[in-house]
Amino acid sequence: AQTVTQSQPEMSVQEAETVTLSCTYDTSESDYYLFWYKQPPSRQMILVIRQEAYKQQNATENRFSVNFQKAAKSFSLKISDSQLGDAAMYFCAYRGYNNNDMRFGAGTRLTVKP
Amino acid sequence: GAGVSQSPSNKVTEKGKDVELRCDPISGHTALYWYRQSLGQGLEFLIYFQGNSAPDKSGLPSDRFSAERTGGSVSTLTIQRTQQEDSAVYLCASSSGLAGGRGNEQFFGPGTRLTVL
């Protein structure tokens, strides 16, 4: 079974600085998708960024980028120029190409200090 | 253009009672998911509906949990004889269900916080 591990329960960053959130996963599949979701106190899960495993190029969305290392099964999220609004729980998630469900990590709580 | 909506926002019930949670997916989305998020935890997959296909119930934790999706749109998650360990936030998500591309993005509702006393 696929598992997703987020080893950092909490992280903090100074406003305008850069922070990296770690995620590793375990799978025997070759085709899959990886996601980072943000969950603010409102509970609304918001997709931040996603990566298709067959793409070697790391995904980027504005201030958010990933470092996808397929061989190492690592998928870290880098947030540049951190803003107060970035404070939230961040979940890493895995979905197999032909699977119906998505596997989530336990989450990392990010605090942004002004 | 409304997103996924869920009701009620919060539900407090007594142990042993049955509860129904509702999810309205984005119009036109054929795929619908239910997840459970216990306090301080990640999301746990419960059940998946895709069009008129038989649902994938592999994540339901016990036979007290069931879900229906009527007319390929609204879904209800029913928990019978609730237990205190059922207390959690129940999240619903929908997607267009298309293979590849943006079809894999799941759009989440705000969740229902269930408290079993």
Side-chain angles (χ1 to χ4, degrees), chain A residues 60-65 78-83 85-86:
Chain A
T60 299
E61 289 285 345
N62 300 315
R63 298 183 295 107
F64 299 87
S65 62
K78 185 172 80 171
I79 306 174
S80 304
D81 185 25
S82 298
Q83 300 176 1
D86 295 334

Side-chain angles (χ1 to χ4, degrees), chain A residues 29-102:
Chain A
E29 297 177 305
S30 58
D31 290 331
Y32 50 87
Y33 299 88
L34 296 165
F35 305 83
W36 277 99
Y37 277 89
K38 170 185 177 181
Q39 186 180 43
S42 66
R43 297 201 306 247
Q44 188 80 48
M45 294 282 283
I46 303 165
L47 178 65
V48 174
I49 198 167
R50 72 177 206 151
Q51 175 83 40
E52 289 91 344
Y54 64 85
K55 290 186 178 179
Q56 293 185 340
Q57 186 173 5
N58 289 325
T60 299
E61 289 285 345
N62 300 315
R63 298 183 295 107
F64 299 87
S65 62
V66 299
N67 183 5
F68 173 49
Q69 301 290 328
K70 190 173 184 180
K73 296 179 183 175
S74 171
F75 183 61
S76 61
L77 174 69
K78 185 172 80 171
I79 306 174
S80 304
D81 185 25
S82 298
Q83 300 176 1
L84 296 177
D86 295 334
M89 284 289 289
Y90 285 82
F91 292 97
C92 178
Y94 167 101
R95 178 179 174 174
Y97 188 79
N98 292 313
N99 288 359
N100 297 330
D101 63 343
M102 195 176 304

Side-chain angles (χ1 to χ4, degrees), chain A residues 39 45 91 102 104-105, chain B residues 6 21 33-47 59-62 64-65 77 79 82-93 108 111-114 116:
Chain A
Q39 186 180 43
M45 294 282 283
F91 292 97
M102 195 176 304
F104 286 82
Chain B
Q6 292 185 246
L21 312 179
Y33 307 76
W34 282 100
Y35 295 90
R36 178 170 68 177
Q37 184 178 25
S38 300
L39 185 62
Q41 301 296 313
L43 276 68
E44 173 190 6
F45 167 77
L46 296 178
I47 190 169
L60 294 178
S62 77
R64 297 186 295 104
F65 288 73
L77 176 69
I79 308 173
T82 52
Q83 304 295 312
Q84 289 183 333
E85 60 263 28
D86 298 335
S87 296
V89 173
Y90 290 82
L91 291 163
C92 175
F108 284 81
T112 294
R113 182 179 298 280
L114 174 67
V116 182

